[in-house]
Amino acid sequence: MTDGHASSLETGDATALPEDVDDVRDALVSWYEADHRDFPWRRTDDPYEILVSEVMSQQTQLGRVVEAWEDFLDEWPTAADLAAADRSDVVSFWSGHSLGYNNRAKYLHEAARQVIEEYDGEFPRSPDELSELMGVGPYTANAVASFAFNNGDAVVDTNVKRVLHRAFAEIHNADDPDYETVANTLMPTGESRIWNNAIMELGGVACGKKPRCDEASCPWREWCHAYQTGDFTAPDVPTQPSFEGSRRQFRGRIVRLLGEHDEMDLDTLGHRIRVDYTPDGEHGREWLRGLLSDLADDGLVQIEEGNDQTIARLQ
């Protein structure tokens, strides 16, 4: 595989990439093509389907995303279907599948409306144009451009940073590594779809927080600074919030329970969603009212205050 990039990148006075950079590229792509995790969104180049997967994957484990992604596309197979949907139904789906941060559902719905009304149903193709869609930041825009249109820059997420930091000595030892420049120099021109999938797979399968170099047959062992030195430190990256015990987990439980019952009073609902619920305790009525208020703001839940009790029901 050859390309129009330079075969080396100057970082200060040091060369960050090996001289045989084409071999480095070929090794990674061959490794990926031989065997990789078969996520369903990797089998499509539909920008709508890829956008849904990217939004769902933000701070959510990929194993949990697969079922939600398939269910979402069963419900709204196209951008036009999603644009025509009632927003409260989209938010209800999001909360019911415990995907967290309901604003993402609102933004995704609005982005679909933009595609239909402002772009005549055709997704924009470049990262800059995709960034005009509601809730689509630079990373997501680049990912959609890469995976749908093979028209993106190198993806630089926490996994990719970890791979580059470990693999190349000059990055590993730099005070302020320029990951984006290195990543884009390394990526073959016009190969963003397979390259970004491949290097993200490397970070997810072989070069995770606990490296599995030999077990996963990492294709970069020959060049890797960490493999050669045993220094597998990695740059500090944000820790993904735990889903277990989170507010979004309990919001999802509330929506599911209210979907099964016409209505529930405050204390009955509280005892059903967590075993340590006590009306006047830390996780009691005040805490539960806060969750219900959030859901009411999202248009999902209706709260009725009576003389003796508070009743909650789905909108």
Side-chain angles (χ1 to χ4, degrees):
M1 175 179 14
T2 59
D3 70 287
H5 285 301
S7 62
S8 64
L9 171 72
E10 294 300 322
T11 304
D13 295 327
T15 301
L17 301 181
E19 289 301 319
D20 49 352
V21 67
D22 284 335
D23 292 339
V24 174
R25 294 169 177 145
D26 289 342
L28 177 59
V29 172
S30 296
W31 174 83
Y32 176 79
E33 290 180 328
D35 185 30
H36 59 262
R37 293 171 295 179
D38 187 27
F39 295 120
W41 47 84
R42 285 181 171 172
R43 302 194 296 267
T44 181
D45 59 5
D46 184 313
Y48 168 67
E49 295 180 359
I50 291 169
L51 176 61
V52 173
S53 76
E54 288 295 328
V55 174
M56 285 186 173
S57 299
Q58 295 170 14
Q59 294 186 305
T60 304
Q61 294 178 346
L62 294 182
R64 286 180 38 228
V65 172
V66 173
E67 181 179 357
W69 183 81
E70 291 173 340
D71 290 349
F72 191 95
L73 294 178
D74 284 343
E75 188 74 25
W76 301 290
T78 68
D81 294 319
L82 181 59
D86 189 289
R87 182 163 298 181
S88 64
D89 290 339
V90 181
V91 176
S92 179
F93 175 99
W94 209 262
S95 183
H97 282 72
S98 301
L99 291 166
Y101 304 104
N102 289 340
N103 277 344
R104 293 178 188 161
K106 298 177 183 178
Y107 294 154
L108 188 57
H109 181 262
E110 178 62 19
R113 188 198 63 77
Q114 284 180 267
V115 169
I116 300 307
E117 296 182 5
E118 299 176 21
Y119 294 91
D120 297 324
E122 295 290 332
F123 265 79
R125 301 175 68 90
S126 73
D128 286 345
E129 292 174 312
L130 284 159
S131 293
E132 296 297 319
L133 299 179
M134 179 67 72
V136 177
Y139 176 87
T140 300
N142 187 54
V144 174
S146 293
F147 303 136
F149 304 115
N150 202 25
N151 187 38
D153 296 320
V155 165
V156 182
D157 65 359
T158 54
N159 281 340
V160 173
K161 287 182 179 180
R162 183 171 58 248
V163 168
L164 298 177
H165 182 89
R166 286 174 174 167
F168 304 115
E170 287 76 12
I171 301 176
H172 187 93
N173 296 321
D175 292 332
D176 186 21
D178 186 353
Y179 291 105
E180 290 193 4
T181 299
V182 173
N184 279 302
T185 301
L186 190 60
M187 186 185 78
T189 300
E191 300 278 355
S192 61
R193 178 182 290 127
I194 191 167
W195 180 261
N196 285 328
N197 270 319
I199 198 166
M200 291 169 69
E201 184 78 353
L202 187 66
V205 171
C207 200
K209 292 181 180 178
K210 182 179 180 181
R212 300 176 59 251
C213 315
D214 295 323
E215 302 96 309
S217 299
C218 174
W220 280 1
R221 285 170 291 178
E222 176 182 343
W223 301 278
C224 180
H225 171 78
Y227 189 75
Q228 293 167 6
T229 64
D231 181 0
F232 285 94
T233 55
D236 292 334
V237 296
T239 301
Q240 179 170 311
S242 172
F243 174 70
E244 189 65 31
S246 66
R247 289 177 65 85
R248 58 193 176 110
Q249 182 185 41
F250 290 111
R251 286 198 298 266
R253 289 180 180 178
I254 290 171
V255 170
R256 284 194 296 275
L257 275 171
L258 294 181
E260 296 169 2
H261 303 271
D262 289 338
E263 60 184 35
M264 297 184 77
D265 69 83
L266 200 65
D267 289 340
T268 300
L269 179 61
H271 286 297
R272 290 289 299 275
I273 67 170
R274 63 182 304 156
V275 295
D276 60 345
Y277 175 87
T278 51
D280 297 322
E282 177 184 359
H283 296 113
R285 290 171 182 163
E286 184 176 349
W287 169 82
L288 182 54
R289 286 179 186 276
L291 295 178
L292 290 170
S293 178
D294 289 347
L295 292 168
D297 289 343
D298 288 334
L300 293 175
V301 169
Q302 180 181 348
I303 305 168
E304 182 179 311
E305 299 284 358
N307 293 329
D308 299 323
Q309 61 182 357
T310 300
I311 298 296
R313 60 175 64 88
L314 289 183
Q315 284 277 34

